[in-house]
Amino acid sequence: MRCHLYGETVSDSYHTLLLLRHAKSDYPAGVADHERPLAPRGIREAALAGDWLRAHAPAVDAVLCSTATRTRQTLERTRIDAPTEFVDRLYDATPGVVIDEINGVASRFDHEVNTLLVIGHEPTMSAVSLGLATAEGSNSSAAERISEKFPTSSVAVLRTGQGWDQLALNGATLVTFHVPR
């Protein structure tokens, strides 16, 4: 299977990692951070992120999602229909924890995962995106935009020839970065 991502052909010989920051959340009084829901803008932008993913990225084979309410609602609004694991460790995670969870994908899912969507939080999503991206071959404009800001509902797309269990720092190519608005 081949898919076109901004003019590049992405084939099954590569794994595609989609890093999505949750959509804009609300701040209701008396609600703990983990339980904060999406704001009206977040509901709209999560749907736009899902539309973009379906139009531009390979079909998602599996999802790792933080257990926070806003990440769960982001996934729901994207309308991405793939086997999903809700992972408590992704809430308030360090970049190393996120990479560790990605490394364990084969043990979480009983099918081949060529395209993995991870839904998490900042500042971790930007740190993982930039940490995994190789200096050579990555989209430098996308890397610069990520280093400036990784807004809510944004998606970083990385590609690697390595298995998920082998993915490490500087182990992927940053293909693009999209901010749905």
Side-chain angles (χ1 to χ4, degrees):
M1 178 181 135
R2 294 188 184 276
C3 151
H4 294 281
L5 185 63
Y6 278 95
E8 290 192 39
T9 300
V10 179
S11 72
D12 287 338
S13 63
Y14 288 101
H15 286 106
T16 302
L17 176 62
L18 308 167
L19 298 173
L20 171 63
R21 180 182 178 192
H22 65 79
K24 179 70 176 164
S25 58
D26 206 352
Y27 294 88
V31 175
D33 183 73
H34 189 273
E35 307 311 317
R36 288 191 297 120
L38 292 182
R41 183 180 112 195
I43 291 168
R44 181 179 58 81
E45 290 175 356
L48 293 173
D51 292 345
W52 186 86
L53 286 167
R54 278 187 299 287
H56 298 285
V60 174
D61 298 311
V63 179
L64 295 178
C65 184
S66 162
T67 56
T69 300
R70 59 193 177 273
T71 54
R72 288 172 172 267
Q73 290 178 342
T74 297
L75 174 59
E76 179 184 331
R77 297 295 180 177
T78 63
R79 298 184 337 269
I80 297 295
D81 184 23
T84 301
E85 288 278 335
F86 294 98
V87 183
D88 195 48
R89 289 181 73 204
L90 292 178
Y91 174 74
D92 203 25
T94 63
V97 166
V98 174
I99 293 169
D100 185 53
E101 289 298 327
I102 293 167
N103 291 156
V105 162
S107 66
R108 289 188 175 273
F109 300 98
D110 62 359
H111 63 280
E112 182 69 27
V113 177
N114 289 314
T115 301
L116 176 66
L117 171 62
V118 178
I119 305 175
H121 308 268
E122 263 301 278
T124 309
M125 292 291 97
S126 59
V128 171
S129 300
L130 296 173
L132 290 176
T134 58
E136 277 189 44
S138 285
N139 180 327
S140 59
S141 172
E144 184 175 317
R145 289 174 52 222
I146 290 170
S147 69
E148 291 169 3
K149 187 173 183 181
F150 200 113
T152 53
S153 300
S154 295
V155 183
V157 180
L158 295 105
R159 182 180 63 200
T160 183
Q162 300 175 11
W164 296 120
D165 61 334
Q166 298 297 309
L167 187 61
L169 295 177
N170 299 308
T173 301
L174 176 62
V175 178
T176 193
F177 179 63
H178 178 71
V179 181
R181 295 286 186 257

